[in-house]
Amino acid sequence: GEDVEQSLFLSVREGDSSVINCTYTDSSSTYLYWYKQEPGAGLQLLTYIFSNMDMKQDQRLTVLLNKKDKHLSLRIADTQTGDSAIYFCAESISNFGNEKLTFGTGTRLTIIP
Amino acid sequence: NAGVTQTPKFQVLKTGQSMTLQCAQDMNHEYMSWYRQDPGMGLRLIHYSVGAGITDQGEVPNGYNVSRSTTEDFPLRLLSAAPSQTSVYFCASSPVLAGAYNEQFFGPGTRLTVL
């Protein structure tokens, strides 16, 4: 079955880089996603990576995918107070045209001034 | 566009009561879903729909019913509320694009407490 795991908490000093890690179990994933949840709000898509890529960069965000180890990471450069949130990784698997999304437990990122 | 809207934002129920959580989207998305979010457990899929008239069960469907009579609306019904259903509920929608990534758009959530 599908299982997506993340550490629950991460604290980082303002200005440092944050690295949030995720492991998944289903090797047939098509896309992997990172969603951000700010306090009291729903989730918003931050970035995604197609399963045949190993890296994607988007401004301060770098996504690394290691398919062999089923490991996904999100690096946020120059972390700011506005980056405080819960970050969820999610894997999607296509099944007869339907896409099933499985979310991880979420990592709460706290920024230390 | 309003995006995905959910009502109510907060609700307190007594054990055994029933209620309906409303969800609507104005983006003409085919796919809609309901999740519950519990501490340390991430989001778990309750029910989903790939179009009007079509619904299916997710990971944790027991105690919940859904229907999809229109593309826009996807209400979630709690038949007889139990304290284990205390959670934050999120509705989401997305287009269905074969072979492409599908961004899910989330509503702001409904925080439900069952006493």
Side-chain angles (χ1 to χ4, degrees):
Chain A
E2 311 87 13
D3 199 13
V4 181
E5 295 187 353
Q6 303 177 237
S7 298
L8 290 180
F9 303 100
L10 177 67
S11 295
V12 173
R13 292 206 176 275
E14 190 174 1
D16 286 352
S17 292
S18 305
V19 179
I20 304 170
N21 294 302
C22 171
T23 57
Y24 61 97
T25 55
D26 199 313
S27 56
S28 59
S29 300
T30 49
Y31 286 91
L32 294 119
Y33 301 88
W34 284 103
Y35 279 82
K36 178 182 181 183
Q37 184 184 30
E38 296 186 351
L43 281 69
Q44 283 191 299
L45 182 66
L46 200 58
T47 187
Y48 67 94
I49 188 167
F50 187 45
S51 58
N52 70 353
M53 298 169 64
D54 52 21
M55 187 181 94
K56 179 179 180 181
Q57 186 143 6
D58 183 3
Q59 298 181 330
R60 292 192 297 123
L61 305 178
T62 303
V63 179
L64 296 178
L65 175 60
N66 181 329
K67 283 196 77 174
K68 175 175 167 288
D69 295 338
K70 299 190 184 70
H71 183 264
L72 180 74
S73 68
L74 173 70
R75 179 177 179 270
I76 305 172
D78 187 24
T79 309
Q80 304 297 310
T81 54
D83 295 323
S84 291
I86 302 176
Y87 291 82
F88 291 89
C89 69
E91 62 169 345
S92 75
I93 299 153
S94 289
N95 183 21
F96 299 103
N98 293 332
E99 186 183 29
K100 182 182 174 185
L101 207 59
T102 301
F103 285 88
T105 54
T107 299
R108 183 181 295 273
L109 177 63
T110 301
I111 312 306
I112 305 165
Chain B
N1 284 354
V4 180
T5 57
Q6 290 183 239
T7 56
K9 288 184 79 76
F10 301 94
Q11 183 70 51
V12 179
L13 292 177
K14 293 181 180 176
T15 297
Q17 286 185 311
S18 63
M19 80 157 294
T20 300
L21 278 63
Q22 302 292 344
C23 174
Q25 52 92 9
D26 61 359
M27 297 173 281
N28 203 32
H29 287 166
E30 291 296 319
Y31 184 92
M32 295 186 74
S33 54
W34 277 101
Y35 295 88
R36 58 178 289 173
Q37 183 181 22
D38 301 293
M41 300 189 75
L43 273 75
R44 291 182 292 169
L45 183 65
I46 304 171
H47 285 286
Y48 66 97
S49 168
V50 298
I54 306 168
T55 63
D56 207 346
Q57 296 181 350
E59 184 185 352
V60 288
N62 292 342
Y64 308 94
N65 272 0
V66 290
S67 59
R68 185 95 180 270
S69 55
T70 66
T71 299
E72 294 78 19
D73 300 298
F74 191 44
L76 177 74
R77 280 182 286 279
L78 279 71
L79 309 170
S80 176
S84 61
Q85 293 178 304
T86 294
S87 188
V88 181
Y89 291 85
F90 288 100
C91 178
S93 74
S94 72
V96 178
L97 304 172
Y101 83 97
N102 287 302
E103 178 179 357
Q104 293 221 17
F105 294 81
F106 283 82
T110 295
R111 187 175 292 274
L112 176 68
T113 302
V114 183
L115 303 175

